[in-house]
């Protein structure tokens, strides 16, 4: 949906199964701290996707590093 190609991506997901559908919105970042401006941008998109603020879940930060230096 939106990305800066170096630090973050906002992804919108829509799944349809027969008569039911579900939607999701994800903010993916390379840094553990997304920063207040990016979080605000993400929160502004929530209602435009038919979602509500109470559906927001912030996952715990991962201590693992992909490069094995963790």
């Amino acid at each position: 949906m939106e990305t800066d190609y170096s630090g973050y991506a906002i992804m919108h997901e829509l799944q349809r199964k027969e008569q039911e559908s579900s939607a999701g919105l994800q903010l993916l970042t390379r840094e553990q701290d997304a920063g207040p401006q990016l979080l605000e941008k993400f929160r502004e998109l929530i209602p435009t996707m038919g979602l509500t603020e109470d559906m927001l879940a912030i996952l715990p930060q991962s201590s693992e590093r992909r490069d094995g230096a963790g």
Side-chain angles (χ1 to χ4, degrees):
M1 189 172 169
E2 180 178 324
T3 184
D4 69 353
Y5 296 100
S6 62
Y8 79 94
I10 298 175
M11 297 177 46
H12 178 244
E13 178 182 13
L14 181 61
Q15 294 182 353
R16 291 193 175 138
K17 184 177 179 182
E18 296 178 16
Q19 304 264 335
E20 296 180 19
S21 64
S22 64
L25 190 63
Q26 294 183 33
L27 171 60
L28 307 171
T29 63
R30 292 187 187 269
E31 300 295 323
Q32 287 189 356
D33 182 15
Q37 291 176 331
L38 186 55
L39 285 175
E40 182 61 29
K41 179 185 284 194
F42 181 73
R43 287 180 187 271
E44 289 173 359
L45 287 172
I46 291 172
T48 67
M49 299 294 129
L51 304 170
T52 59
E53 189 79 21
D54 65 324
M55 297 173 163
L56 177 64
I58 299 176
L59 302 178
Q61 295 179 353
S62 172
S63 60
E64 280 186 36
R65 291 183 54 174
R66 290 186 186 186
D67 63 8

